[in-house]
Amino acid sequence: MKIREIYVKSFGCLYDFKKEFHDGFNAVTENNGFGKTTLATFVKAMFYSLGYSRSSALEENELKRFRPWNSTEKFGGSVTFEHDGKLYRIERTFGATQKDETAFLVDFEKNKKTRLSMVFHRRQTSLIQWFPPSGA
């Protein structure tokens, strides 16, 4: 699996951020405080969702921790990736509660957009399991 593009509409301190990736080594080199750790969490959240908790402590509640600082609207973005030579995009938004989360998988080859069910989210199942290792 290769990540080809990340688009953050809004997530934590990041807003309208786009980064393309190419074959070989890719690095995100930004100043301290830019949001590199937030960007890494964003990628994890696109594939695995956010950790939901009833706790009000930011360290224990990712939904609260990564809600954009300047908004109460839905937040999220997309990750475009390649698997076995095929291109896909995950689009995910988060809201005030887990019920407000939406997730879609776009298959560019089939020109098909599939909504991922809430059962998928509640089990904290990885989207990656849908894509077995190449050659499997």
Side-chain angles (χ1 to χ4, degrees):
M1 181 181 296
K2 298 177 186 176
I3 293 178
R4 292 299 184 187
E5 181 182 280
I6 296 172
Y7 173 67
V8 181
K9 181 177 180 184
S10 59
F11 191 86
C13 62
L14 299 173
Y15 177 77
D16 197 28
F17 175 81
K18 183 177 178 181
K19 173 79 174 166
E20 293 183 8
F21 296 88
H22 307 282
D23 287 337
F25 181 76
N26 292 263
V28 177
T29 54
E30 298 288 344
N31 293 328
N32 287 342
F34 167 80
K36 296 180 294 292
T37 302
T38 299
L39 185 61
T41 302
F42 171 82
V43 173
K44 179 196 78 129
M46 290 295 102
F47 285 100
Y48 295 97
S49 188
L50 284 172
Y52 289 90
S53 168
R54 295 184 189 270
S55 173
S56 60
L58 293 180
E59 301 82 27
E60 298 174 21
N61 190 324
E62 287 186 321
L63 182 64
K64 288 185 179 184
R65 181 175 178 199
F66 293 103
R67 178 177 303 287
W69 299 347
N70 59 353
S71 175
T72 58
E73 295 180 13
K74 287 190 172 194
F75 60 102
S78 64
V79 173
T80 302
F81 64 97
E82 183 181 324
H83 179 72
D84 284 342
K86 297 178 184 175
L87 203 58
Y88 301 90
R89 181 175 58 232
I90 302 166
E91 301 171 350
R92 196 182 293 261
T93 60
F94 304 96
T97 67
Q98 186 176 11
K99 290 188 290 187
D100 297 326
E101 182 177 337
T102 61
F104 294 91
L105 179 67
V106 178
D107 181 333
F108 288 99
E109 183 178 276
K110 295 178 181 176
N111 195 26
K112 183 178 179 184
K113 185 174 184 174
T114 304
R115 184 178 180 120
L116 303 176
S117 74
M118 290 309 294
V119 171
F120 178 87
H121 301 296
R122 279 195 282 273
R123 291 185 187 163
Q124 293 293 307
T125 305
S126 165
L127 178 64
I128 292 174
Q129 78 180 24
W130 288 20
F131 298 92
S134 297

